[in-house]
Amino acid sequence: MQFSRTLPKELVHRAAVAEVFLTDAERHSEDELLLAAQLPRRHAFYHDTLGPRTHHDPLLLLEACRQGIFVVAHRYLDVPTGWKFLLRAVEFKVLDHAALTCDDRPTEAVITTRIEHRFRSRATVTGLRLRCTVTIGTGEALLARITYCWMPHGDWTRLRAGQRGALGLSDVPVALPGAGVDPALVGRRDPANTVISPPRTTGDGTRTARLIVDTAHPTLYDHWVDHVPGMLELEAFRQLALTAAVSAGAVRTPTALPVGLAARFRCFAEMDLPLRCRTAPVLPGADIECTLHQPGAVAAEARIRLADPDPEATAAAPGTFAAHGAA
């Protein structure tokens, strides 16, 4: 595997070369591929933390895996460029906290990618479930599963028009404005990297906040999409869960890392509707349950596990979801 240059940005659906983390791809069998990734030492979004920058954000590794879903589809299953993709479900767990350690060089990782399931129509494959094992050095750092599908541009246009029309929305969405949370409350230095409003807590311990969309964000909106991207939804879950966990004493600091997550996307989250994130009351030793609501629907749901950034930290995986929905 080579780490000297990135794969073409169009292949991984990125607009900025700086946001491309994959550097190579090699097919080993009908169902197994290797992907190479170089993780930056300092990334303006994934390494923005008030804590010591000693470990990679697990969501950075997940993003490298997410970029791989396009490589598998375009390069090895002949899905045409220009087709549209939907995330159905995402899950990951950190296998080795020590393997996430950063040093003074970019991190080279190999992602063993296995096709676990092919979703089919009568004529062709329409989606996949991939199992991705991220190895850094000699250690397996993270295990992820991603379920997704694809469709021609015309089908996508009809699908989007149907949902937006049913909600009474115009053809061109405009993100609702809103003020972000104090970045220190979610372990961030840069206010531009906050994605929720100041949270509120009800009497039963439920915590809520609005998801704030910034379509100029160079990572979360690397290129224009007409809905809220799945990775932005996961970041909103992470940030709200951090505030809830710190308040409940489940973790000591808002720089705690997500060490396990299982999420499913039920429908498109519309940026021109109020999007309300909610966490259930935090229970000792349990995963934090999160939901994203828009008028008339639950757009996404997740369970997330956080751990303080101690070298000896270990992770247990949240349970997986059996059903999948569009996002």
Side-chain angles (χ1 to χ4, degrees):
M1 308 298 286
Q2 67 85 20
F3 300 90
S4 61
R5 62 186 180 276
T6 63
L7 293 178
K9 63 182 183 178
E10 297 81 8
L11 185 62
V12 298
H13 292 207
R14 297 275 87 182
V17 173
E19 294 296 326
V20 179
F21 303 134
L22 298 186
T23 62
D24 204 357
E26 181 180 291
R27 192 168 195 170
H28 274 206
S29 68
E30 183 69 18
D31 291 331
E32 186 170 286
L33 309 94
L34 293 183
L35 302 169
Q38 187 185 77
L39 307 178
R41 289 180 293 171
R42 294 287 184 268
H43 187 277
F45 179 72
Y46 291 109
H47 292 115
D48 174 30
T49 176
L50 286 172
R53 294 186 180 95
T54 56
H55 291 79
H56 286 298
D57 182 351
L59 287 177
L60 170 62
L61 278 67
L62 179 65
E63 170 60 20
C65 296
R66 191 193 69 87
Q67 292 183 15
I69 73 177
F70 306 114
V71 178
V72 173
H74 290 313
R75 181 167 285 185
Y76 300 110
L77 295 182
D78 298 322
V79 176
T81 58
W83 281 34
K84 297 292 188 176
F85 286 71
L86 285 171
L87 281 179
R88 297 284 192 178
V90 172
E91 61 183 85
F92 75 80
K93 63 177 178 179
V94 172
L95 301 175
D96 182 1
H97 186 264
L100 299 178
T101 302
C102 302
D103 58 23
D104 59 356
R105 297 166 298 175
T107 298
E108 295 179 352
V110 174
I111 306 172
T112 303
T113 305
R114 175 168 288 276
I115 298 174
E116 288 194 328
H117 185 77
R118 289 173 167 83
F119 299 94
R120 300 178 183 272
S121 65
R122 291 183 177 180
T124 187
V125 176
T126 59
L128 298 172
R129 182 173 69 244
L130 300 182
R131 173 189 173 103
C132 304
T133 305
V134 183
T135 300
I136 299 174
T138 60
E140 292 185 349
L142 181 135
L143 173 66
R145 282 187 173 89
I146 302 177
T147 303
Y148 65 110
C149 66
W150 52 79
M151 66 186 69
H153 190 273
D155 291 352
W156 171 274
T157 300
R158 286 187 289 274
L159 180 64
R160 292 296 290 126
Q163 175 167 314
R164 291 186 62 80
L167 293 169
L169 300 174
S170 64
D171 293 339
V172 181
V174 177
L176 296 180
V181 68
D182 180 347
L185 293 180
V186 292
R188 297 282 189 169
R189 297 177 184 272
D190 187 350
N193 290 330
T194 62
V195 303
I196 59 170
S197 68
R200 298 180 179 181
T201 304
T202 61
D204 65 356
T206 298
R207 183 162 288 223
T208 63
R210 262 194 60 205
L211 188 154
I212 305 298
V213 173
D214 175 12
T215 58
H217 194 283
T219 297
L220 297 171
Y221 271 88
D222 162 80
H223 57 282
W224 168 257
V225 291
D226 66 358
H227 59 284
V228 179
M231 292 298 285
L232 173 51
E233 296 177 53
L234 298 186
E235 181 61 28
F237 287 149
R238 185 241 290 265
Q239 292 189 11
L240 187 59
L242 280 169
T243 69
V246 170
S247 178
V251 295
R252 298 191 306 271
T253 169
T255 61
L257 293 173
V259 295
L261 177 143
R264 61 180 173 184
F265 305 98
R266 291 184 172 272
C267 65
F268 293 101
E270 303 290 356
M271 68 178 77
D272 43 359
L273 289 178
L275 295 170
R276 185 67 58 182
C277 286
R278 181 181 299 163
T279 62
V282 177
L283 302 176
D287 302 333
I288 300 172
E289 297 183 4
C290 309
T291 49
L292 178 65
H293 301 258
Q294 64 188 19
V298 175
E301 56 190 336
R303 292 192 293 271
I304 185 169
R305 178 162 297 185
L306 302 167
D308 285 304
D310 298 325
E312 67 271 21
T314 56
T320 58
F321 288 113
H324 308 301

